[in-house]
Amino acid sequence: QVQLVESGGGLVQAGGSLRLSCAASGRTFSSYYMGWFRQAPGKERQFVAAINRSSGITYYADSVKGRFTISRDNAKNTVYLQMNSLKPEDTAVYYCAAEWSVGRLRVGNTDYWGQGTQVTVSS
């Protein structure tokens, strides 16, 4: 089992950058695929990015490709989401997630979620 805590959200102007962090408890962090999702008001939660156990493979939603970068540090039990060139439509609560299967993770089929961190991008 793993517990997840996100941080790093905030208010930023369009074109700016933020880096989100997700700290995981437990000694099996490196066994999980890790991902980020977001949910805007009135919308369903959507996949943003995922990374495999060894950081060799990453996955991105088309809407963030080229602007967002997911990374992880297994020694620190932490996964990051570097967000550049932010747009007002990136405004959402961002959630960290963990799962043994990347297929399950990418569709949000997991029991392991953080509490979320708010990202607001002003125009």
Side-chain angles (χ1 to χ4, degrees), residues 1-2 4 24-34 51-56 72-79 98-100:
Q1 196 168 4
V2 62
L4 306 171
S25 65
R27 291 174 288 181
T28 59
F29 174 76
S30 61
S31 300
Y32 290 93
Y33 285 85
M34 299 298 299
I51 189 166
N52 74 338
R53 299 178 181 93
S54 63
S55 302
R72 66 189 294 166
D73 186 336
N74 288 341
K76 295 183 178 180
N77 280 13
T78 302
V79 62
E99 181 52 55
W100 296 101

Coordinates of all heavy atoms in Angstrom, one line a residue, residues 1-2 4 24-34 51-56 72-79 98-100:
Q1 N 0.8 -1.2 0.0 CA 0.0 0.0 0.0 C 0.9 1.2 0.0 O 2.0 1.2 0.5 CB -0.9 0.0 1.2 CG -2.1 1.0 1.1 CD -3.1 0.7 2.2 OE1 -2.9 -0.1 3.1 NE2 -4.2 1.4 2.2
V2 N 0.4 2.3 -0.6 CA 1.1 3.6 -0.6 C 0.2 4.8 -0.4 O -0.9 4.8 -0.8 CB 1.8 3.7 -2.0 CG1 0.8 3.8 -3.1 CG2 2.7 4.9 -2.1
L4 N -0.1 9.0 -0.7 CA 0.5 10.0 -1.6 C 0.1 11.4 -1.1 O -1.1 11.6 -0.8 CB -0.1 9.8 -3.0 CG 0.2 8.4 -3.6 CD1 -0.6 8.2 -4.9 CD2 1.6 8.2 -3.8
A24 N 5.5 10.0 -1.6 CA 4.9 8.7 -1.3 C 5.5 8.1 -0.1 O 6.7 8.1 0.1 CB 5.0 7.8 -2.5
S25 N 4.6 7.5 0.7 CA 5.1 6.7 1.8 C 5.2 5.2 1.5 O 4.6 4.8 0.5 CB 4.2 6.9 3.0 OG 2.9 6.3 2.7
G26 N 6.0 4.5 2.2 CA 6.1 3.1 2.0 C 7.4 2.7 1.3 O 8.0 3.6 0.6
R27 N 7.8 1.5 1.4 CA 9.1 1.1 0.8 C 9.0 0.5 -0.5 O 10.0 0.0 -1.1 CB 9.7 0.0 1.8 CG 10.1 0.6 3.1 CD 10.6 -0.4 4.1 NE 9.5 -1.2 4.5 CZ 9.6 -2.2 5.4 NH1 10.8 -2.6 5.8 NH2 8.6 -2.9 5.8
T28 N 7.8 0.5 -1.1 CA 7.6 -0.1 -2.4 C 7.3 0.9 -3.5 O 6.8 0.6 -4.6 CB 6.4 -1.1 -2.4 OG1 5.3 -0.4 -2.0 CG2 6.7 -2.2 -1.4
F29 N 7.7 2.2 -3.3 CA 7.4 3.2 -4.3 C 8.0 2.8 -5.7 O 7.3 3.0 -6.7 CB 8.1 4.5 -3.8 CG 8.0 5.6 -4.8 CD1 6.8 6.3 -5.0 CD2 9.1 6.0 -5.6 CE1 6.7 7.4 -5.9 CE2 9.0 7.0 -6.5 CZ 7.8 7.7 -6.6
S30 N 9.2 2.3 -5.7 CA 9.8 2.0 -7.0 C 9.1 0.9 -7.8 O 9.3 0.6 -9.0 CB 11.3 1.6 -6.8 OG 11.4 0.5 -6.0
S31 N 8.1 0.2 -7.1 CA 7.4 -0.9 -7.8 C 6.2 -0.4 -8.5 O 5.5 -1.1 -9.3 CB 6.9 -1.9 -6.7 OG 8.0 -2.5 -6.0
Y32 N 5.8 0.9 -8.3 CA 4.6 1.4 -8.9 C 4.9 2.3 -10.1 O 5.8 3.0 -10.2 CB 3.9 2.3 -7.9 CG 3.2 1.6 -6.7 CD1 3.9 1.4 -5.5 CD2 1.9 1.1 -6.8 CE1 3.3 0.8 -4.5 CE2 1.4 0.5 -5.7 CZ 2.1 0.3 -4.6 OH 1.5 -0.3 -3.5
Y33 N 4.0 2.2 -11.1 CA 3.8 3.2 -12.1 C 3.2 4.4 -11.4 O 2.3 4.3 -10.5 CB 2.9 2.8 -13.2 CG 3.5 1.8 -14.2 CD1 3.5 0.4 -13.9 CD2 4.2 2.2 -15.3 CE1 4.0 -0.5 -14.8 CE2 4.7 1.3 -16.2 CZ 4.6 0.0 -15.9 OH 5.2 -0.9 -16.8
M34 N 3.7 5.6 -11.7 CA 3.1 6.8 -11.1 C 2.5 7.8 -12.2 O 3.0 7.8 -13.3 CB 4.2 7.6 -10.4 CG 4.9 6.8 -9.2 SD 3.7 6.4 -7.9 CE 3.2 8.0 -7.4
I51 N 4.6 7.7 -15.6 CA 6.0 7.3 -15.8 C 6.1 5.9 -15.3 O 5.5 5.5 -14.3 CB 6.9 8.3 -15.0 CG1 8.3 8.1 -15.4 CG2 6.6 8.3 -13.5 CD1 9.2 9.2 -14.9
N52 N 7.0 5.1 -15.9 CA 7.2 3.8 -15.5 C 8.1 3.7 -14.3 O 8.6 4.7 -13.8 CB 7.7 2.9 -16.7 CG 9.2 3.1 -17.0 OD1 9.7 4.2 -16.7 ND2 9.8 2.2 -17.6
R53 N 8.4 2.5 -13.8 CA 9.1 2.3 -12.6 C 10.5 2.9 -12.6 O 11.0 3.4 -11.6 CB 9.1 0.8 -12.2 CG 7.7 0.2 -12.0 CD 7.8 -1.3 -11.7 NE 6.5 -1.9 -11.5 CZ 5.9 -2.5 -12.5 NH1 6.4 -2.5 -13.7 NH2 4.7 -3.0 -12.3
S54 N 11.2 2.8 -13.7 CA 12.6 3.1 -13.8 C 12.8 4.5 -14.5 O 14.0 4.8 -14.8 CB 13.4 2.1 -14.6 OG 12.9 2.0 -15.9
S55 N 11.8 5.2 -14.8 CA 11.8 6.5 -15.4 C 12.2 6.4 -16.9 O 12.5 7.4 -17.5 CB 12.8 7.4 -14.7 OG 12.5 7.6 -13.4
G56 N 12.2 5.2 -17.5 CA 12.6 5.1 -18.9 C 11.5 5.4 -19.9 O 11.8 5.7 -21.0
R72 N 10.6 11.2 -11.8 CA 10.5 10.6 -10.5 C 11.9 10.4 -9.9 O 12.9 10.2 -10.7 CB 9.8 9.2 -10.5 CG 10.5 8.1 -11.3 CD 9.6 6.9 -11.5 NE 9.2 6.3 -10.2 CZ 8.3 5.4 -10.1 NH1 7.5 5.1 -11.1 NH2 8.0 4.8 -8.9
D73 N 12.0 10.4 -8.6 CA 13.2 10.1 -7.9 C 12.9 9.0 -6.9 O 12.3 9.2 -5.8 CB 13.7 11.4 -7.2 CG 15.1 11.2 -6.5 OD1 15.5 10.0 -6.2 OD2 15.8 12.2 -6.3
N74 N 13.3 7.8 -7.3 CA 12.9 6.6 -6.4 C 13.7 6.7 -5.1 O 13.2 6.1 -4.1 CB 13.2 5.3 -7.1 CG 12.2 5.0 -8.3 OD1 11.1 5.6 -8.3 ND2 12.6 4.2 -9.2
A75 N 14.8 7.3 -5.0 CA 15.5 7.4 -3.7 C 14.8 8.3 -2.8 O 14.9 8.2 -1.5 CB 17.0 8.0 -4.0
K76 N 14.0 9.3 -3.3 CA 13.3 10.2 -2.5 C 11.8 9.9 -2.4 O 11.0 10.6 -1.8 CB 13.4 11.6 -3.0 CG 14.9 12.2 -2.9 CD 14.9 13.6 -3.4 CE 16.4 14.1 -3.3 NZ 16.5 15.6 -3.7
N77 N 11.4 8.8 -3.1 CA 10.0 8.4 -3.1 C 9.1 9.5 -3.6 O 8.0 9.8 -3.0 CB 9.5 7.9 -1.7 CG 9.9 6.5 -1.4 OD1 10.7 5.9 -2.1 ND2 9.4 6.0 -0.3
T78 N 9.5 10.2 -4.6 CA 8.8 11.4 -5.1 C 8.7 11.4 -6.6 O 9.6 11.0 -7.3 CB 9.5 12.7 -4.6 OG1 9.7 12.7 -3.2 CG2 8.8 13.9 -5.1
V79 N 7.5 11.8 -7.1 CA 7.3 12.0 -8.5 C 7.0 13.5 -8.7 O 6.4 14.1 -7.8 CB 6.1 11.1 -9.0 CG1 4.8 11.4 -8.3 CG2 6.0 11.2 -10.5
A98 N -1.0 6.2 -8.1 CA 0.0 5.1 -8.2 C -0.8 3.8 -8.6 O -1.9 3.6 -8.1 CB 0.7 4.9 -6.9
E99 N -0.1 2.9 -9.3 CA -0.8 1.7 -9.7 C 0.3 0.7 -10.2 O 1.3 1.1 -10.8 CB -1.8 1.9 -10.8 CG -2.6 0.7 -11.3 CD -3.2 -0.1 -10.1 OE1 -3.9 0.4 -9.3 OE2 -2.8 -1.3 -10.1
W100 N 0.1 -0.6 -10.0 CA 1.0 -1.6 -10.5 C 1.0 -1.7 -12.0 O 2.0 -2.1 -12.6 CB 0.6 -3.0 -9.9 CG 0.7 -3.1 -8.5 CD1 -0.3 -3.0 -7.6 CD2 1.9 -3.3 -7.7 NE1 0.1 -3.2 -6.3 CE2 1.5 -3.4 -6.3 CE3 3.2 -3.4 -8.0 CZ2 2.4 -3.6 -5.3 CZ3 4.1 -3.6 -6.9 CH2 3.7 -3.7 -5.6

